[in-house]
Amino acid sequence: MNISELLKTSDAISVRRVFGEPYEKDGLTIVPVAVVAGGGGGGEGHDEDKHQGGEGGGFGVAGRPAGVYVIRGTEVKWEPAVDVSRIVTVLGVVAVAYLLTRPSVARSKAKAARRRRPKPH
């Protein structure tokens, strides 16, 4: 498959990937929603000396749940998805930043305290 065919046939990033098929249960309509991102690239080249050419490409897509729209009658409510792994990652980054900056802050406080002390005569 050449690059132009790859890009023509790839419909991986579309609104159909973001909004799932709605379904109904007990008078509610649920519409699942996801965050979808992707990208692709490719290239081609030709070696004049060897009279050879080539091309290549790739395409990638990633998605994660964002939440659901809950529809009851005329009322629409957004229910976000809770991504526990993202919460744990953020808490880990905050803890590491705290542990790395704590000694520097302690040294700065000690230095400021020494400057405020009156000098003995």
Side-chain angles (χ1 to χ4, degrees), residues 62-105:
R64 65 177 178 80
V68 295
Y69 283 108
V70 179
I71 305 167
R72 174 180 280 151
T74 59
E75 182 183 335
V76 178
K77 185 177 177 186
W78 171 251
E79 293 288 337
V82 177
D83 188 351
V84 176
S85 63
R86 180 175 267 184
I87 293 169
V88 169
T89 300
V90 169
L91 290 176
V93 168
V94 169
V96 167
Y98 170 75
L99 292 172
L100 291 175
T101 59
R102 192 175 66 172
S104 175
V105 171

Side-chain angles (χ1 to χ4, degrees), residues 25-37:
K25 183 171 182 167
D26 298 332
L28 295 176
T29 302
I30 307 292
V31 181
V33 181
V35 175
V36 179

Side-chain angles (χ1 to χ4, degrees), residues 2 4 7 10-11 18 21 29 46 50 60 62 90-91 104 109:
N2 65 31
S4 60
L7 295 177
S10 180
D11 68 344
V18 175
E21 291 294 323
T29 302
H46 186 73
K50 297 181 182 178
V90 169
L91 290 176
S104 175
K109 284 183 179 181

